[in-house]
Amino acid sequence: MTPQPGDALPRLDVKVTARMVIMGASASRDWQPQHHDHHWAVNRAGTRDIFLNTPNQAGWIERYLTDWTGPMGRLGKLRFRMRRSICTGDALAFEGVVRSVTTDDAGCTWADVDVSLVVGEERATECIARVAVPRDEADNPWKRAGNAWAPDARGPLELLKRKD
């Protein structure tokens, strides 16, 4: 895999179910009622339904990225901003574009990828991720440690300015 700036990642479509919301919240030990109690979410929190929590969204974003990179891709850094709740029944789409590709002093190749979680026509979550990808068949980012693993080596990951 040799990503190039501007490469689009394959789109991933997911139907958000109550099971998905509840299992993700319980896996991260988030017992806040807005993630498992429909009545509380609607009547007390004022949302349409129960909705994905932060760790659940992070897990889905990482899955999306590693579906693209394959098993040798290794997430180095992730930053995201949730703009609206993603509720049960939403049709969620993951979209991504490679922003830049760099190689650090240790020879690790980094792809900075802009990821959007879209519901309908609205961007619900925006994200920037730095992913280590193998530079050749012999490279395995999972074996990097110490000075050979530096996801912060080249500049901060900044979310793009809002367009809407």
Side-chain angles (χ1 to χ4, degrees):
M1 159 184 248
T2 307
Q4 300 295 319
D7 285 354
L9 280 62
R11 180 182 162 115
L12 172 65
D13 292 302
V14 176
K15 182 75 172 176
V16 179
T17 64
R19 175 178 288 196
M20 175 181 166
V21 173
I22 294 167
M23 295 294 283
S26 64
S28 59
R29 299 179 182 218
D30 182 346
W31 309 118
Q32 296 296 313
Q34 64 268 26
H35 303 304
H36 62 84
D37 184 333
H38 170 82
H39 179 77
W40 197 95
V42 171
N43 296 313
R44 299 275 308 269
T47 60
R48 288 184 294 111
D49 206 329
I50 59 174
F51 55 92
L52 295 177
N53 73 349
T54 304
N56 198 351
Q57 288 195 39
W60 275 96
I61 293 167
E62 185 167 358
R63 178 239 162 130
Y64 176 64
L65 292 165
T66 55
D67 280 357
W68 170 65
T69 63
M72 294 299 190
R74 181 179 177 190
L75 182 65
K77 196 164 187 175
L78 179 68
R79 177 174 288 163
F80 60 98
R81 179 182 306 135
M82 297 180 292
R83 300 173 68 189
R84 61 156 283 204
S85 299
I86 300 173
C87 296
T88 298
D90 285 344
L92 175 62
F94 291 78
E95 300 171 344
V97 175
V98 176
R99 182 190 294 185
S100 63
V101 178
T102 57
T103 300
D104 66 19
D105 294 339
C108 186
T109 301
W110 296 99
D112 291 343
V113 182
D114 291 307
V115 177
S116 293
L117 283 62
V118 179
V119 175
E121 298 296 318
E122 189 176 358
R123 189 168 35 160
T125 298
E126 56 192 359
C127 169
I128 177 72
R130 177 164 287 168
V131 183
V133 294
R135 69 177 178 278
D136 56 37
E137 295 286 326
D139 187 33
N140 181 353
W142 287 97
K143 292 185 176 178
R144 294 184 176 275
N147 292 335
W149 178 249
D152 290 323
R154 294 193 187 230
L157 288 175
E158 298 296 332
L159 290 170
L160 294 176
K161 298 284 184 192
R162 288 184 173 187
K163 294 177 183 170
D164 50 303

